[in-house]
Amino acid sequence: MAGFNKVVESYEAAMAGLEDGMTVIAGGFGLCGIPEGLIAQIKKMGTRELTVVSNNCGVDGFGLGILLEDRQIKKMVASYVGENALFEKQLLNGELEVELTPQGTLAEKMRAGGAGIPAFFTATGYGTPVAEGKETREIDGRHYVLEPAITGDFAIVRAWKADRYGNLVFRHTAMNFNPMAATAGKITVAEVEEIVEPGELEPSQIHTPGIYVQRVIKGNFEKRIERRMVRQG
């Protein structure tokens, strides 16, 4: 990177500095809006003992699921297992530490981390195993659980467009966890479909300001469909 230019030319440069034992926050929902190339680079690097925070862990053989194949992930913080048989197997066999978190709570934990809010109260999960070991409080007659925010050493996200300054625009359902994840990393790397010049993005349409983003790379995406549904002929 040079000055405000945050564009890098290789996946090696994009993920430089990722080390064993770090925490990685990944945007996406299922296979929608996932940073495919950045995940593949982590696989290539062989980085291990990772804590990965994401809505789910991809599917077998694609997305974050490929990091389970060589047991690069030590702990997974997610809202559900999804259709990943290897994830399920490692969870049930005790090979993978899993912290299941309600989906809205997970999103808010990322957002709070990015906003510098250390913790917040939510009614979700009160009276369930989710609340075990956590502070609870009654406020105006309703019970709440204190949930800590989440931050990561790296955040990897997928965006539609970016300029060289790192301003990001997400498209349609890629607006899932990506905007929150982008704010919560010490180093945020955005894999994007198109890079434009500063000034080409309409300011009112920018979802994530470049101040949150350290690196931008133009990706090539497979855009695999998790479950293809077609009408019978």
Side-chain angles (χ1 to χ4, degrees):
M1 296 178 293
F4 286 110
N5 184 7
K6 299 178 180 180
V7 176
V8 295
E9 301 298 331
S10 69
Y11 283 105
E12 290 80 5
M15 296 306 298
L18 180 66
E19 298 177 354
D20 292 351
M22 284 187 167
T23 296
V24 178
I25 300 175
F29 186 111
L31 299 184
C32 177
I34 64 171
E36 302 169 20
L38 297 176
I39 295 170
Q41 177 60 26
I42 297 175
K43 168 78 169 180
K44 181 179 178 182
M45 293 168 66
T47 317
R48 307 183 68 82
E49 298 290 304
L50 296 172
T51 295
V52 175
V53 182
S54 190
N55 181 62
N56 59 298
C57 199
V59 297
D60 294 291
F62 195 71
L64 289 170
I66 65 175
L67 302 183
L68 295 173
E69 295 171 352
D70 296 322
R71 292 177 171 77
Q72 291 176 257
I73 300 176
K74 176 184 178 181
K75 178 180 179 179
M76 188 72 207
V77 181
S79 72
Y80 73 109
V81 175
E83 299 184 23
N84 191 321
L86 185 56
F87 186 1
E88 180 183 13
K89 178 182 177 182
Q90 291 185 7
L91 167 61
L92 295 177
N93 290 343
E95 301 169 332
L96 176 67
E97 184 181 351
V98 177
E99 181 180 322
L100 291 176
T101 303
Q103 197 166 78
T105 302
L106 182 61
E108 182 63 9
K109 285 162 80 79
M110 294 182 189
R111 191 203 68 82
I117 299 170
F120 59 91
F121 281 105
T122 176
T124 304
Y126 178 81
T128 74
V130 169
E132 291 180 1
K134 298 176 182 176
E135 179 183 342
T136 60
R137 187 176 300 183
E138 184 177 345
I139 303 174
D140 293 333
R142 192 175 185 187
H143 294 281
Y144 295 86
V145 181
L146 184 65
E147 290 283 358
I150 288 178
T151 56
D153 299 290
F154 272 75
I156 55 174
V157 299
R158 156 86 171 274
W160 179 38
K161 289 183 179 181
D163 62 21
R164 290 188 291 104
Y165 293 171
N167 297 303
L168 305 180
V169 177
F170 304 99
R171 188 168 184 261
H172 300 323
T173 47
M175 278 285 290
N176 44 56
F177 281 83
N178 280 301
M180 290 78 74
T183 67
K186 294 177 183 177
I187 297 176
T188 293
V189 188
E191 186 177 16
V192 305
E193 296 182 38
E194 182 180 354
I195 297 175
V196 301
E197 291 301 310
E200 291 188 40
L201 297 178
E202 174 62 39
S204 64
Q205 299 301 309
I206 292 172
H207 297 123
T208 298
I211 192 171
Y212 289 109
V213 180
Q214 282 69 48
R215 302 169 190 169
V216 174
I217 186 168
K218 186 178 185 304
N220 295 307
F221 302 99
E222 181 180 339
K223 297 184 180 179
R224 187 181 301 190
I225 297 173
E226 187 169 356
R227 181 181 287 271
R228 187 181 298 273
M229 304 294 289
V230 296
R231 182 181 299 169
Q232 297 296 322

